[in-house]
Amino acid sequence: QVAVVESGGGLVQPGGSLRLSCAASGGTFRMATMAWFRQTPGMEREFVAASGRNGGVADYADSVKGRFTVSRDSAKSTMYLQMNNLKPEDTATYYCAVDRNMIWGLRSIPRHYDYWGQGTQVTVSS
């Protein structure tokens, strides 16, 4: 069965950096769209970044452009999110989503993804 597991979250000070990982297993994901979303209590799940075409294309939310970078290791079915210059408003639970039949134009809509990880907590605080 398909499993999606995030890791790398933690507590950092404003201006610090973290690298998140998302590993997918139980299938073939070379052509899959893999994405990061985040969510805080009482808020809707928010799109952060997506990777498609084996890492050949990427998209970012305006709030993280220039600070976050998504990358892909297709051989390991793993996606990474390098987060630099973190801000308190980046505090959230970060989720990895995977779909093997994604229409690229729908990449920022959570309900179109088939598989989700359990999330990893990122806290940015002094």
Side-chain angles (χ1 to χ4, degrees), residues 10-72:
L11 173 64
V12 297
Q13 295 185 354
S17 298
L18 284 173
R19 169 168 267 208
L20 305 184
S21 298
C22 171
S25 62
T28 301
F29 303 98
R30 187 177 66 87
M31 302 302 295
T33 295
M34 302 180 70
W36 292 99
F37 292 79
R38 64 188 183 187
Q39 190 168 26
T40 56
M43 302 291 288
E44 294 185 353
R45 194 158 293 190
E46 175 190 20
F47 173 76
V48 177
S51 172
R53 301 178 187 174
N54 298 316
V57 64
D59 183 54
Y60 302 90
D62 288 342
S63 60
V64 306
K65 285 181 179 177
R67 299 188 298 120
F68 292 10
T69 303
V70 67
S71 60
R72 191 91 164 257

Side-chain angles (χ1 to χ4, degrees), residues 1-122:
Q1 58 183 359
V2 172
V4 179
V5 180
E6 307 97 335
S7 62
L11 173 64
V12 297
Q13 295 185 354
S17 298
L18 284 173
R19 169 168 267 208
L20 305 184
S21 298
C22 171
S25 62
T28 301
F29 303 98
R30 187 177 66 87
M31 302 302 295
T33 295
M34 302 180 70
W36 292 99
F37 292 79
R38 64 188 183 187
Q39 190 168 26
T40 56
M43 302 291 288
E44 294 185 353
R45 194 158 293 190
E46 175 190 20
F47 173 76
V48 177
S51 172
R53 301 178 187 174
N54 298 316
V57 64
D59 183 54
Y60 302 90
D62 288 342
S63 60
V64 306
K65 285 181 179 177
R67 299 188 298 120
F68 292 10
T69 303
V70 67
S71 60
R72 191 91 164 257
D73 185 342
S74 294
K76 299 179 180 180
S77 297
T78 300
M79 174 181 63
Y80 305 95
L81 184 67
Q82 179 65 46
M83 305 186 294
N84 297 327
N85 191 25
L86 284 160
K87 304 175 180 180
E89 51 263 44
D90 295 317
T91 295
T93 302
Y94 283 70
Y95 296 91
C96 178
V98 181
D99 196 279
R100 289 177 282 194
N101 296 287
M102 178 62 65
I103 298 172
W104 187 243
L106 303 177
R107 62 195 178 276
S108 66
I109 305 174
R111 68 181 178 88
H112 291 289
Y113 288 84
D114 288 336
Y115 307 108
W116 291 85
Q118 293 300 304
T120 185
Q121 179 66 37
V122 172

